[in-house]
Amino acid sequence: MRLDAADFHSKLFNLSCQTIICGFSVLLACALSGTPAPTPSESMPLSPKSLLLDVASINDEIIVVGERGHILKSRDEGNTWRQIVTPTRATLTNVRFLDDRYGWASGHSGVILSTSDGGDSWDIITDVDPEISYFDTWFFDEWNGIFIGAYGEYATTDDAAESLKKEWISEEELHFYDISSSPDGTLY
Protein backbone atom coordinates (compact mmCIF):
# COMPACT_ATOMS: atom_id res chain seq x y z
CA MET A 1 0.00 0.00 0.00
CA ARG A 2 1.40 3.38 -1.01
CA LEU A 3 0.81 6.43 1.15
CA ASP A 4 0.73 9.95 -0.12
CA ALA A 5 2.55 12.61 1.89
CA ALA A 6 -0.58 13.70 3.78
CA ASP A 7 -1.40 10.10 4.83
CA PHE A 8 2.21 9.48 5.85
CA HIS A 9 2.33 12.61 8.03
CA SER A 10 -1.07 11.77 9.54
CA LYS A 11 0.05 8.24 10.47
CA LEU A 12 3.38 9.55 11.81
CA PHE A 13 1.54 12.16 13.91
CA ASN A 14 -0.85 9.52 15.30
CA LEU A 15 2.07 7.20 16.13
CA SER A 16 3.95 10.05 17.81
CA CYS A 17 0.88 10.96 19.87
CA GLN A 18 0.43 7.32 20.94
CA THR A 19 4.10 7.14 21.94
CA ILE A 20 3.86 10.36 23.94
CA ILE A 21 0.67 9.23 25.69
CA CYS A 22 2.16 5.82 26.47
CA GLY A 23 5.37 7.39 27.81
CA PHE A 24 3.41 9.89 29.86
CA SER A 25 1.27 7.08 31.31
CA VAL A 26 4.39 5.21 32.46
CA LEU A 27 5.84 8.35 34.04
CA LEU A 28 2.52 9.21 35.69
CA ALA A 29 2.13 5.67 37.05
CA CYS A 30 5.66 5.79 38.46
CA ALA A 31 5.10 9.22 39.97
CA LEU A 32 1.80 8.21 41.60
CA SER A 33 3.23 4.99 43.00
CA GLY A 34 6.33 6.74 44.35
CA THR A 35 8.68 4.44 42.45
CA PRO A 36 11.34 5.89 40.16
CA ALA A 37 10.92 5.41 36.43
CA PRO A 38 13.38 2.98 34.82
CA THR A 39 16.33 5.17 33.93
CA PRO A 40 19.66 3.51 33.09
CA SER A 41 20.92 4.14 29.59
CA GLU A 42 21.41 1.13 27.38
CA SER A 43 24.46 0.30 25.35
CA MET A 44 23.30 0.92 21.78
CA PRO A 45 25.31 0.00 18.68
CA LEU A 46 24.04 3.07 16.83
CA SER A 47 24.53 5.54 19.69
CA PRO A 48 27.18 7.51 17.72
CA LYS A 49 24.45 8.17 15.14
CA SER A 50 21.91 9.44 17.70
CA LEU A 51 21.23 13.10 18.41
CA LEU A 52 24.33 14.46 20.15
CA LEU A 53 24.00 17.92 21.67
CA ASP A 54 27.25 18.98 23.31
CA VAL A 55 30.94 18.19 23.27
CA ALA A 56 33.86 18.64 25.65
CA SER A 57 37.50 17.70 25.36
CA ILE A 58 39.91 16.70 28.10
CA ASN A 59 43.48 15.75 27.39
CA ASP A 60 43.37 13.66 24.20
CA GLU A 61 39.71 12.59 24.54
CA ILE A 62 36.47 13.94 23.11
CA ILE A 63 33.28 13.45 25.14
CA VAL A 64 29.80 13.99 23.66
CA VAL A 65 26.35 13.84 25.24
CA GLY A 66 22.87 13.54 23.78
CA GLU A 67 19.51 11.88 23.70
CA ARG A 68 18.64 8.76 25.70
CA GLY A 69 21.34 9.61 28.25
CA HIS A 70 24.08 8.81 25.76
CA ILE A 71 27.63 9.74 26.64
CA LEU A 72 30.33 8.73 24.16
CA LYS A 73 34.12 9.04 24.34
CA SER A 74 36.69 9.03 21.58
CA ARG A 75 40.46 8.81 21.90
CA ASP A 76 41.14 9.09 18.18
CA GLU A 77 39.63 12.46 17.23
CA GLY A 78 36.15 11.00 16.68
CA ASN A 79 37.03 8.15 14.34
CA THR A 80 35.76 5.55 16.82
CA TRP A 81 33.49 5.94 19.83
CA ARG A 82 32.98 4.07 23.09
CA GLN A 83 29.63 4.44 24.82
CA ILE A 84 29.61 5.04 28.56
CA VAL A 85 26.57 3.56 30.32
CA THR A 86 24.89 6.23 32.44
CA PRO A 87 22.20 6.11 35.14
CA THR A 88 19.64 7.95 32.98
CA ARG A 89 17.74 7.86 29.72
CA ALA A 90 16.97 11.58 29.87
CA THR A 91 18.31 13.74 27.06
CA LEU A 92 21.61 15.27 28.11
CA THR A 93 22.04 18.76 26.67
CA ASN A 94 25.46 19.77 27.98
CA VAL A 95 28.72 18.52 29.38
CA ARG A 96 31.39 20.58 31.11
CA PHE A 97 34.72 19.60 32.65
CA LEU A 98 36.56 21.60 35.27
CA ASP A 99 39.79 19.67 34.72
CA ASP A 100 40.82 16.22 33.50
CA ARG A 101 38.87 14.47 36.31
CA TYR A 102 35.82 16.47 37.41
CA GLY A 103 32.89 16.98 35.08
CA TRP A 104 29.12 17.42 34.99
CA ALA A 105 26.44 16.68 32.42
CA SER A 106 22.86 17.87 32.69
CA GLY A 107 19.72 17.99 30.66
CA HIS A 108 16.03 17.26 30.56
CA SER A 109 14.01 16.18 33.61
CA GLY A 110 16.40 18.11 35.83
CA VAL A 111 19.02 15.39 35.50
CA ILE A 112 22.53 16.25 36.64
CA LEU A 113 25.33 13.68 36.37
CA SER A 114 28.82 13.97 37.79
CA THR A 115 32.12 12.24 37.16
CA SER A 116 35.39 12.29 39.07
CA ASP A 117 37.31 9.95 36.76
CA GLY A 118 37.41 11.91 33.52
CA GLY A 119 34.05 10.64 32.26
CA ASP A 120 34.64 6.89 32.46
CA SER A 121 31.75 6.55 34.94
CA TRP A 122 28.87 8.86 35.87
CA ASP A 123 26.62 9.18 38.91
CA ILE A 124 23.21 10.81 38.99
CA ILE A 125 23.12 13.42 41.73
CA THR A 126 19.63 14.92 41.43
CA ASP A 127 16.09 13.65 41.63
CA VAL A 128 14.19 13.49 38.35
CA ASP A 129 11.88 16.49 37.87
CA PRO A 130 10.03 16.58 34.53
CA GLU A 131 9.37 20.33 34.95
CA ILE A 132 13.07 21.24 34.71
CA SER A 133 15.54 21.23 31.82
CA TYR A 134 19.12 22.40 32.20
CA PHE A 135 20.92 23.58 29.06
CA ASP A 136 24.36 24.62 30.30
CA THR A 137 26.68 24.29 33.27
CA TRP A 138 29.52 26.35 34.68
CA PHE A 139 31.80 25.38 37.58
CA PHE A 140 34.21 27.78 39.23
CA ASP A 141 35.96 24.99 41.14
CA GLU A 142 35.21 21.41 42.22
CA TRP A 143 32.40 22.58 44.55
CA ASN A 144 30.81 25.80 43.25
CA GLY A 145 28.77 25.88 40.08
CA ILE A 146 25.65 27.01 38.29
CA PHE A 147 23.16 25.23 36.02
CA ILE A 148 20.96 27.31 33.67
CA GLY A 149 17.94 26.26 31.71
CA ALA A 150 14.34 26.55 30.69
CA TYR A 151 11.76 29.05 31.91
CA GLY A 152 14.34 31.37 33.45
CA GLU A 153 15.38 28.83 36.04
CA TYR A 154 18.89 28.38 37.30
CA ALA A 155 20.39 26.46 40.19
CA THR A 156 23.56 27.10 42.15
CA THR A 157 25.59 24.71 44.24
CA ASP A 158 28.43 24.97 46.72
CA ASP A 159 28.79 21.22 47.28
CA ALA A 160 29.45 19.82 43.78
CA ALA A 161 25.67 19.65 43.05
CA GLU A 162 24.86 17.37 45.97
CA SER A 163 22.31 20.06 46.80
CA LEU A 164 20.93 22.83 44.63
CA LYS A 165 19.49 26.24 45.36
CA LYS A 166 16.94 26.86 42.62
CA GLU A 167 16.04 30.38 41.55
CA TRP A 168 14.51 32.24 38.61
CA ILE A 169 16.19 35.01 36.67
CA SER A 170 13.00 36.25 35.11
CA GLU A 171 9.26 35.93 35.55
CA GLU A 172 9.00 35.97 31.74
CA GLU A 173 10.05 32.30 31.57
CA LEU A 174 12.86 32.90 29.08
CA HIS A 175 15.09 29.96 28.19
CA PHE A 176 18.82 30.31 28.85
CA TYR A 177 20.90 28.08 26.60
CA ASP A 178 24.51 29.09 27.16
CA ILE A 179 26.71 30.46 29.90
CA SER A 180 30.16 31.92 29.27
CA SER A 181 32.80 33.75 31.24
CA SER A 182 34.60 36.93 30.28
CA PRO A 183 38.35 37.32 30.96
CA ASP A 184 37.53 39.07 34.26
CA GLY A 185 35.32 36.17 35.39
CA THR A 186 31.94 37.79 34.78
CA LEU A 187 29.33 35.26 33.67
CA TYR A 188 27.06 35.94 30.71
Side-chain angles (χ1 to χ4, degrees), residues 4-76:
D4 64 15
D7 286 336
F8 174 77
H9 290 295
S10 175
K11 289 188 183 304
L12 182 61
F13 175 78
N14 289 335
L15 180 61
S16 297
C17 289
Q18 290 169 2
T19 302
I20 290 168
I21 290 168
C22 179
F24 178 76
S25 298
V26 170
L27 289 175
L28 182 60
C30 290
L32 292 175
S33 69
T35 58
T39 56
S41 68
E42 295 180 70
S43 185
M44 307 288 288
L46 295 177
S47 58
K49 300 196 184 291
S50 67
L51 177 64
L52 301 171
L53 297 169
D54 200 16
V55 60
S57 62
I58 55 170
N59 297 330
D60 61 344
E61 294 184 311
I62 301 170
I63 299 168
V64 295
V65 300
E67 67 180 348
R68 297 186 200 98
H70 289 165
I71 297 181
L72 306 168
K73 290 182 80 173
S74 175
R75 290 193 171 123
D76 59 6

Side-chain angles (χ1 to χ4, degrees), residues 7-171:
D7 286 336
F8 174 77
H9 290 295
S10 175
K11 289 188 183 304
L12 182 61
F13 175 78
N14 289 335
L15 180 61
S16 297
C17 289
Q18 290 169 2
T19 302
I20 290 168
I21 290 168
C22 179
F24 178 76
S25 298
V26 170
L27 289 175
L28 182 60
C30 290
L32 292 175
S33 69
T35 58
T39 56
S41 68
E42 295 180 70
S43 185
M44 307 288 288
L46 295 177
S47 58
K49 300 196 184 291
S50 67
L51 177 64
L52 301 171
L53 297 169
D54 200 16
V55 60
S57 62
I58 55 170
N59 297 330
D60 61 344
E61 294 184 311
I62 301 170
I63 299 168
V64 295
V65 300
E67 67 180 348
R68 297 186 200 98
H70 289 165
I71 297 181
L72 306 168
K73 290 182 80 173
S74 175
R75 290 193 171 123
D76 59 6
E77 298 179 352
N79 291 312
T80 59
W81 294 95
R82 175 174 58 101
Q83 183 179 354
I84 308 299
V85 175
T86 68
T88 187
R89 288 187 187 171
T91 296
L92 299 173
T93 58
N94 71 90
V95 60
R96 178 89 59 164
F97 278 83
L98 177 65
D99 55 29
D100 62 350
R101 292 180 45 213
Y102 294 100
W104 295 265
S106 61
H108 293 190
S109 299
V111 167
I112 298 175
L113 306 178
S114 69
T115 182
S116 59
D117 62 7
D120 287 326
S121 64
W122 294 83
D123 296 312
I124 192 164
I125 53 177
T126 55
D127 294 326
V128 173
D129 182 344
E131 298 293 318
I132 299 172
S133 290
Y134 293 117
F135 299 134
D136 205 3
T137 303
W138 187 271
F139 267 77
F140 304 94
D141 56 39
E142 180 183 337
W143 303 105
N144 297 288
I146 184 170
F147 300 87
I148 63 167
Y151 307 109
E153 182 170 322
Y154 71 98
T156 58
T157 183
D158 60 6
D159 59 5
E162 292 294 326
S163 66
L164 297 173
K165 180 180 177 188
K166 297 178 185 176
E167 298 186 42
W168 283 263
I169 294 173
S170 167
E171 300 266 335

